[in-house]
Amino acid sequence: MVLGIIRIVKKDYLKGILQIVSTGVLAAVTFSYFTFALMFYPYDFFAEGLKVPENIKFEKPIKLNDEKDRINIHQQDFILYDYFQPGIYKYDLFLYKIEKGKAYLKIFEITKNQILSEESIKKKSQIEVENKTDELRRFELKDDFTIYEGDWGQFYGSRIEVWFKPDDVNKPDRKLITKNYIIQGWMR
């Protein structure tokens, strides 16, 4: 491209324009080829070879639909929902009396105890909570969060922990609930 501009400056217009156009066409073809090829390249090998342990009880995320309002929970708990695409999730949290603060998730691959998408999930899974009564109250995640490790259809076991960060800075974060789910990552 630079050589084409130099030729134009030296008043060799035809060769300069042809060189610029041919360089642009070659760049476009190369870019298109690699873009197309990378769409089909399975570059996330995280979940390959991972097996779901048979000696651990797992739940599966529920499809997020109209059934959500029919769920009947009678104890402190959370429910994970499949959302929009595989690897993208939402959750509802059910809590008894709790001071003002933020609940968030920590998710681990269960066989290696490896934390998944740590910063992203901590930030995107936050729910502001406060329940001054002894009645069980439902808190809903308004947005969604993504698990990036793995690809669509590569299911693996996870341990999901609900943590609570009180607004009172003198109190430490504490774990509220732990459950095991079979999950999959989002295909980038």
Side-chain angles (χ1 to χ4, degrees), residues 40-111:
F40 300 103
Y41 182 72
Y43 62 93
D44 192 339
F45 301 104
F46 177 82
E48 284 190 15
L50 291 178
K51 302 236 185 291
V52 176
E54 293 181 15
N55 60 339
I56 299 174
K57 180 185 174 225
F58 289 96
E59 296 185 35
K60 291 185 178 179
I62 298 171
K63 294 286 182 199
L64 186 64
N65 57 23
D66 296 336
E67 303 284 323
K68 183 176 175 181
D69 293 324
R70 297 184 192 163
I71 293 173
N72 197 4
I73 302 291
H74 300 292
Q75 62 186 10
Q76 188 162 287
D77 200 358
F78 76 96
I79 297 175
L80 187 67
Y81 300 103
D82 273 329
Y83 188 63
F84 191 56
Q85 291 181 339
I88 300 176
Y89 300 94
K90 290 182 91 160
Y91 74 104
D92 285 343
L93 180 59
F94 300 84
L95 296 174
Y96 289 114
K97 189 171 192 169
I98 193 163
E99 70 266 32
K100 187 174 181 156
K102 290 182 175 77
Y104 62 91
L105 299 180
K106 289 184 182 181
I107 303 177
F108 300 84
E109 190 282 318
I110 204 154
T111 61

Side-chain angles (χ1 to χ4, degrees), residues 104-108 115 118 121 125 159-163:
Y104 62 91
L105 299 180
K106 289 184 182 181
I107 303 177
F108 300 84
I115 194 159
E118 183 175 12
I121 290 174
S125 70
R159 182 181 75 249
I160 302 179
E161 301 173 349
V162 177
W163 283 75

Side-chain angles (χ1 to χ4, degrees), residues 96-100 130-135 137 139:
Y96 289 114
K97 189 171 192 169
I98 193 163
E99 70 266 32
K100 187 174 181 156
E130 180 179 27
N131 186 1
K132 296 180 182 180
T133 70
D134 288 328
E135 291 182 24
R137 182 169 167 208
F139 298 94

Side-chain angles (χ1 to χ4, degrees), residues 125-175:
S125 70
Q126 286 188 6
I127 300 175
E128 290 193 28
V129 297
E130 180 179 27
N131 186 1
K132 296 180 182 180
T133 70
D134 288 328
E135 291 182 24
L136 192 62
R137 182 169 167 208
R138 176 183 182 172
F139 298 94
E140 180 180 351
L141 181 65
K142 301 296 182 205
D143 202 1
D144 57 60
F145 65 91
T146 304
I147 296 173
Y148 292 103
E149 291 81 2
D151 279 336
W152 295 355
Q154 294 180 334
F155 295 93
Y156 57 93
S158 70
R159 182 181 75 249
I160 302 179
E161 301 173 349
V162 177
W163 283 75
F164 175 71
K165 180 176 184 58
D167 277 356
D168 183 349
V169 293
N170 296 322
K171 294 184 179 179
D173 291 15
R174 65 182 187 266
K175 186 174 13 172

